[in-house]
Amino acid sequence: MTRIQNTVDYFEAYEAGKLNPEGFWGRYASHEFTWRAPWHNVYSADFEQARFRWFEGAQLNITENCLDRHLHTRGDQIAVIWEPNDPIEEPIKLSYRELYHRVCQTANVLKRLGASKGDRICLYMPMIPELLISVLACARIGAIHSVVFAGFSSRSLADRINDAGCSILITADGSFRGDKIVPLKDIADQALEACNSVRKSIVVKRTETEIQMVEGRDVWWHDLHTGVAEICDAEVMDSEDPLFILYTSGSTGRPKGMVHTCGGYMVYTCYSFEQVFQYRDGEIYWCTADIGWITGHSYIVYGPLLYGATTMLFEGVPSYPDMGRFWQIVDKYEVNIFYTAPTAIRALAQCDPKLIERSSLRSLRVLGTVGEPINLEAWEWYNDVIGKGQCPIVDTWWQTETGGIMISPLAGITHLKPTFATLPLPGIVPVLMDEHGNEIHERIAEGKLCIKQPWPSMARTIYGDHQRFIDTYFAHFPGYYFTGDGARRDLDGFYRITGRVDDVVIVSGHNLGTAEIENALDEHEQVAESAVVGYPHPIKGNAICAFIVMDSNIQAGSTLEQELLDLVSTIIGPIAKPDKFYIVPGLHKTRSGKIMRRILRKLASGDGQDLGDISTLLNPEIVESIGQSMGLTTSA
Ligand code: WTA
């Protein structure tokens, strides 16, 4: 099996992947890639210890598969099209050959700075070609890249650099975001004050913002590259050597540095890219995510390049110079496959139809969504207005932890059902669990979503904390990987993801840990305690509501809300800012001292009725007072 071409293929492949995963994955992996040494075992799995190994004994370098192996067949084909923030500026197009040389050159630069296999390198960069090149250059020399989304604050950046012990940081003087410039280098400088491990900081000149260069530490990207060789042998990696670390928020505590490894991640991102989008030679593929998130890693960089596609990189935002920018870009490059997030779709659906009508959108063949559940209205708008009823929509469910798309229609092959991610990819075995922790065997069901069989691109650990990896993903349901999501299954076996069942809230497609935001709020000297929950929001999917308990005898000042917003921005980043604040007299606790968030979620969505059983609370009377502070009458 290579490309699934029809539903018969799909069901055959599905059975094969379930009954004989070794054969299924072994066949795909040997067919498509350049391996330096073969594996002796397709995989081994120990769910109890959360130890998973894929293509054991095999050796490879993922960049040889993204670049070198395409040089004979598609060296002159465009690998990457970069569209700048400002539509007046010239785009950049790099062929596979050009990209290969640029990656090799940067790899040599990193080596000259003393980087080698296993070192961690942090990338805090705008969406410019140098970001994609840096990712691949790290992989070329076997260094582990840790990309930090350029919207995070200096504190978040410092935490991530320190957690991974990065020795090099690559950043830029600034980042264009619509009509604004984000002072990336300044933010990075602040972060580095708290980071001892970073020896060198490489700075790309992008916005010409005035910056301070720290002698001995900071070096310009362009100076380092002058005269450096454009050929660099790829480091030979074991299949299970780490490829990258990427941080994601959890229910509790600090963000988790998810570790992905070389062989399995390579096989699965290529496989899923090919099957889901059904990419055809010569097509232009555009994923609007940022490389700072997993979607950018797997479906801007690795998946498309492994497959030999032409992938787009967009520096800007959907609203600049106006809300028609996406559609103008689609026409400008005749984009065939367009992959974005429901939040963007909802925001774009709100604007003046004229901004869409000026683009023909004729080139589009496949549409995709990712990151959060898509509501029916948004799905229909995407289908009718953007796809003109002609383009299959692949609603792709997956996670940072899964490395690649797990449940999704295959474009033009399997059936669509609006708001359903539909069927698992062959090789993926999802199950639903009931409240007693048992697998639900009935077809029509609702429960917690788990994955029963290992797959190649599953995260291998949390960097520096394997016990947390076990506890978070493998302890709730022994023998299964627990996703943290709830789902429904219909008569056809189609899955609909209903949302997180833990304390992660997805706001505009970004995962936010409520505990992390509470910790930030609690740093305010007048805040005694806080609780944060998500509530439904028409554009962002969810928004954040914060309940604040002030220190006794302190009246909230008029600037408190702004101070709290600034605090969250500084500690985490602007994406984590709450939308609503309520100052409340106290918070209701269970007998074990936990806040019963279910009630707060209900109140935050504006509903004070049917709060359920609150008799187990230590202080049930407080619920009514909280409701009063919000102007709600409660059933409590
Ligand atoms: C949610 C993004 C519904 C889900 C790739 C998951 C989705 C979390 C979908 C992971 C979808 C992602 N439908 N929900 N198609 N895709 N999610 O790690 O709750 O940023 O657990 O990875 O996003 O977010 P992450």
Side-chain angles (χ1 to χ4, degrees):
M1 189 263 332
T2 47
R3 173 73 68 92
I4 293 166
Q5 315 239 6
N6 50 50
T7 45
V8 176
D9 284 358
Y10 169 82
F11 288 107
E12 261 177 36
Y14 195 80
E15 282 310 302
K18 195 166 169 180
L19 296 177
N20 177 6
E22 282 92 353
F24 179 82
W25 290 114
R27 255 193 320 281
Y28 186 81
S30 45
H31 200 87
E32 294 278 340
F33 305 96
T34 304
W35 298 91
R36 290 290 195 99
W39 52 89
H40 56 76
N41 189 22
V42 173
Y43 79 95
S44 62
D46 174 348
F47 276 84
E48 211 172 306
Q49 292 305 312
R51 301 265 175 221
F52 303 93
R53 304 178 61 79
W54 280 86
F55 310 109
E56 281 178 285
Q59 292 189 318
L60 73 146
N61 185 291
I62 196 167
T63 70
E64 285 191 329
N65 285 278
C66 289
L67 301 169
D68 309 47
R69 116 187 126 109
H70 298 313
L71 294 180
H72 291 303
T73 47
R74 48 179 98 239
D76 296 323
Q77 181 199 308
I78 300 298
V80 183
I81 302 175
W82 176 69
E83 167 74 5
N85 178 63
D86 192 329
I88 312 286
E89 196 183 333
E90 276 299 302
I92 292 175
K93 296 184 181 183
L94 297 173
S95 67
Y96 270 93
R97 184 165 296 105
E98 289 164 331
L99 180 62
Y100 162 78
H101 287 304
R102 294 212 43 191
V103 168
C104 283
Q105 193 180 39
T106 301
N108 284 325
V109 163
L110 293 174
K111 277 189 179 172
R112 278 194 182 184
L113 291 181
S116 60
K117 180 173 172 176
D119 288 354
R120 277 81 59 212
I121 298 183
C122 179
L123 314 184
Y124 183 66
M125 299 172 76
M127 283 283 284
I128 51 179
E130 287 83 351
L131 170 53
L132 180 141
I133 289 166
S134 298
V135 163
L136 295 171
C138 289
R140 187 86 180 168
I141 66 168
I144 301 167
H145 56 77
S146 168
V147 185
V148 176
F149 172 60
F152 277 119
S153 69
S154 59
R155 276 269 288 266
S156 292
L157 174 61
D159 287 348
R160 287 159 172 76
I161 289 176
N162 288 333
D163 185 74
C166 298
S167 54
I168 295 178
L169 169 72
I170 311 182
T171 187
D173 51 355
S175 160
F176 290 117
R177 307 264 318 150
D179 56 7
K180 290 203 227 21
I181 292 180
V182 182
L184 278 195
K185 173 71 164 74
D186 285 356
I187 301 173
D189 283 348
Q190 282 171 36
L192 291 190
E193 281 173 19
C195 303
N196 293 326
S197 56
V198 174
R199 293 182 287 105
K200 288 282 171 206
S201 159
I202 306 175
V203 186
V204 179
K205 186 170 269 184
R206 172 66 189 129
T207 53
E208 312 264 341
T209 307
E210 210 173 301
I211 57 166
Q212 298 287 325
M213 294 292 274
V214 174
E215 205 170 319
R217 187 194 73 191
D218 299 350
V219 265
W220 286 107
W221 170 282
H222 53 267
D223 286 343
L224 289 171
H225 282 73
T226 318
V228 174
E230 295 187 346
I231 300 278
C232 173
D233 284 342
E235 185 74 29
V236 178
M237 306 292 284
D238 284 336
S239 179
E240 281 300 329
D241 280 335
L243 173 63
F244 66 85
I245 302 171
L246 185 61
Y247 288 85
T248 186
S249 294
S251 288
T252 54
R254 299 182 307 148
K256 302 166 284 190
M258 306 310 307
V259 176
H260 283 281
T261 58
C262 296
Y265 180 82
M266 170 178 82
V267 169
Y268 196 80
T269 50
C270 183
Y271 164 82
S272 51
F273 174 78
E274 166 176 19
Q275 307 298 4
V276 170
F277 298 105
Q278 297 278 312
Y279 180 85
R280 299 174 186 164
D281 251 4
E283 285 191 325
I284 309 291
Y285 162 87
W286 181 21
C287 165
T288 70
D290 192 288
I291 292 179
W293 309 115
I294 191 68
T295 307
H297 279 61
S298 301
Y299 299 109
I300 295 178
V301 183
Y302 287 111
L305 295 178
L306 285 164
Y307 195 71
T310 298
T311 182
M312 282 211 31
L313 194 64
F314 174 44
E315 183 185 32
V317 291
S319 53
Y320 181 78
D322 61 43
M323 292 292 278
R325 183 72 187 277
F326 274 5
W327 318 127
Q328 294 213 301
I329 297 176
V330 166
D331 271 19
K332 180 170 174 187
Y333 299 101
E334 302 194 9
V335 170
N336 306 103
I337 304 175
F338 178 75
Y339 187 29
T340 196
T343 289
I345 297 169
R346 287 188 294 261
L348 293 165
Q350 303 265 309
C351 35
D352 186 351
K354 288 202 191 71
L355 293 171
I356 302 161
E357 285 155 14
R358 71 183 182 206
S359 302
S360 84
L361 305 179
R362 222 177 19 220
S363 55
L364 290 174
R365 182 178 67 81
V366 175
L367 300 174
T369 84
V370 58
E372 52 186 314
I374 182 165
N375 50 308
L376 184 61
E377 214 183 341
W379 196 98
E380 286 177 339
W381 179 86
Y382 200 30
N383 184 56
D384 301 345
V385 179
I386 303 306
K388 321 279 185 215
Q390 304 289 313
C391 304
I393 296 178
V394 292
D395 175 354
T396 64
W397 173 82
W398 59 295
Q399 311 177 294
T400 305
E401 295 86 339
T402 68
I405 298 168
M406 303 288 280
I407 305 183
S408 169
L410 309 184
I413 308 289
T414 56
H415 290 288
L416 305 177
K417 179 167 176 178
T419 77
F420 280 68
T422 72
L423 296 172
L425 267 65
I428 302 302
V429 184
V431 294
L432 296 177
M433 312 300 279
D434 66 19
E435 63 271 34
H436 309 296
N438 299 318
E439 208 178 309
I440 309 174
H441 293 285
E442 287 83 30
R443 187 54 86 87
I444 300 178
E446 176 154 7
K448 292 184 176 165
L449 181 64
C450 287
I451 312 290
K452 195 172 180 176
Q453 202 171 273
W455 66 101
S457 65
M458 59 200 300
R460 299 297 194 265
T461 192
I462 292 173
Y463 192 79
D465 197 351
H466 193 69
Q467 190 59 44
R468 188 174 178 200
F469 185 63
I470 299 176
D471 295 344
T472 311
Y473 303 105
F474 299 95
H476 298 267
F477 303 104
Y480 300 83
Y481 164 79
F482 173 47
T483 64
D485 281 321
R488 265 173 50 197
R489 187 168 54 213
D490 75 3
L491 189 60
D492 296 317
F494 285 10
Y495 287 86
R496 176 189 184 149
I497 311 303
T498 48
R500 301 290 311 183
V501 293
D502 56 8
D503 291 322
V504 171
V505 183
I506 305 199
V507 179
S508 300
H510 304 315
N511 295 9
L512 299 172
T514 52
E516 231 186 315
I517 304 176
E518 288 164 6
N519 290 340
L521 295 168
D522 293 349
E523 286 200 20
H524 192 285
E525 53 180 8
Q526 296 172 350
V527 171
E529 195 182 11
S530 64
V532 159
V533 294
Y535 66 94
H537 185 279
I539 304 283
K540 303 201 275 189
N542 293 292
I544 297 285
C545 178
F547 296 85
I548 307 286
V549 185
M550 303 291 292
D551 267 335
S552 49
N553 303 326
I554 295 182
Q555 278 287 315
S558 58
T559 55
L560 178 75
E561 202 166 292
Q562 192 55 48
E563 286 163 26
L564 292 175
L565 286 172
D566 292 345
L567 199 57
V568 173
S569 276
T570 329
I571 296 176
I572 307 175
I575 51 173
K577 287 200 286 198
D579 291 74
K580 282 194 206 165
F581 286 96
Y582 293 104
I583 312 289
V584 295
L587 291 164
H588 49 279
K589 305 267 172 71
T590 62
R591 279 172 214 281
S592 56
K594 283 195 182 146
I595 297 165
M596 204 186 256
R597 284 159 199 286
R598 172 177 67 72
I599 294 176
L600 293 179
R601 278 194 284 268
K602 206 119 201 276
L603 294 174
S605 65
D607 182 359
Q609 300 305 306
D610 305 323
L611 294 177
D613 181 14
I614 58 169
S615 60
T616 56
L617 290 172
L618 275 180
N619 48 351
E621 69 289 347
I622 204 84
V623 173
E624 196 182 342
S625 318
I626 297 176
Q628 275 165 5
S629 331
M630 304 172 69
L632 292 174
T633 22
T634 60
S635 62

